[in-house]
Amino acid sequence: MGLRERKKEELRIALSWAAIRLTVERGFDNVKVEDIAAEAGVSPRTFNNYFSSKAEAIAARHRERAAQIARELRARPADEPLWEAIVQAVAARFALGMTEDEAPSDEGWNAGIRLMLQHPAIQGELLRASRAAQEELAATVAERTGTDLDRDLYPHLVAGSVAAALSAVSDLLLRTDSRPPVAELLRDAFRQLTAGLPTP
């Protein structure tokens, strides 16, 4: 990725995080595009070059992270077992845009995120982002395994399982006051998946 593309991606992430932070603090209906742009240090026009709405900006973090996971998976060694490659790709990109040290972990933040995720506009954008992310990951799995994206279930089942694991980890992080290490939770989620989800 060239310098220009990298800077554009960094700005997309910055705008998305600004939208999330302000929405958690003020509520979705109390945040304007102008507020998000100012928080990220750009003009509203620049915001509109990247996103068509506040909700799209909020959902963009999920979409960008999934795209990064797919790219990371493509870059893994071809002889690496599929699920190990997936675990490594997810672990490398799950915290895209914010490290664990930078991410707020207090009860107020988690409550604000939960409230934000209940807004219909955000739910709609997240569904769209999730669908696109899952399709991109399925295509990557199909390339890696030599399966047919249009005819075979396998790449879609893998992509759906990865999406479910990421969702479960995210939900658990939002429900807990303490913040367990993300990498540890991810590895546990994929360990259980690859073991066939045996009864605890």
Side-chain angles (χ1 to χ4, degrees), residues 3-200:
L3 179 61
R4 186 166 181 268
E5 289 75 18
R6 191 179 309 117
K7 286 188 175 296
K8 288 177 68 175
E9 182 174 319
E10 288 172 356
L11 181 53
R12 280 180 62 84
I13 294 168
L15 286 166
S16 181
W17 272 115
I20 292 169
R21 283 194 301 270
L22 292 176
T23 298
V24 169
E25 292 170 7
R26 306 178 189 176
F28 183 76
D29 294 326
N30 298 319
V31 176
K32 299 179 180 178
V33 165
E34 290 81 2
D35 300 328
I36 299 169
E39 180 80 3
V42 299
S43 68
R45 181 177 179 181
T46 298
F47 175 94
N48 291 327
N49 287 338
Y50 284 83
F51 302 113
S52 62
S53 68
K54 297 181 296 181
E56 184 183 1
I58 290 169
R61 176 177 176 268
H62 175 68
R63 182 70 186 87
E64 291 290 340
R65 184 172 58 200
Q68 288 277 1
I69 289 171
R71 285 197 289 270
E72 189 76 21
L73 181 58
R74 285 192 179 99
R76 301 297 305 171
D79 59 349
E80 188 174 35
L82 175 64
W83 281 101
E84 179 59 25
I86 289 172
V87 169
Q88 295 298 332
V90 169
R93 297 299 178 178
F94 190 76
L96 175 67
M98 181 175 281
T99 66
E100 288 182 46
D101 290 338
E102 294 169 331
S105 59
D106 58 84
E107 188 175 342
W109 170 264
N110 287 352
I113 290 287
R114 287 194 296 267
L115 186 61
M116 178 185 76
L117 294 177
Q118 292 173 13
H119 197 284
I122 295 172
Q123 288 181 343
E125 284 295 339
L126 283 172
L127 282 173
R128 285 181 22 166
S130 295
R131 181 64 182 169
Q134 198 165 317
E135 288 176 356
E136 185 164 359
L137 184 57
T140 306
V141 171
E143 291 169 14
R144 190 175 180 91
T145 59
T147 51
D148 189 318
L149 187 64
D150 296 322
R151 296 176 181 272
D152 294 328
L153 276 173
Y154 186 77
H156 301 283
L157 288 171
V158 171
S161 298
V162 171
L166 294 178
S167 178
V169 167
S170 296
D171 289 346
L172 181 60
L173 288 171
L174 288 176
R175 289 196 307 271
T176 56
D177 293 336
S178 60
R179 193 175 183 87
V182 175
E184 183 180 308
L185 286 175
L186 288 170
R187 288 192 175 278
D188 184 38
F190 287 110
R191 178 189 60 76
Q192 293 188 53
L193 270 179
T194 56
L197 288 178
T199 303

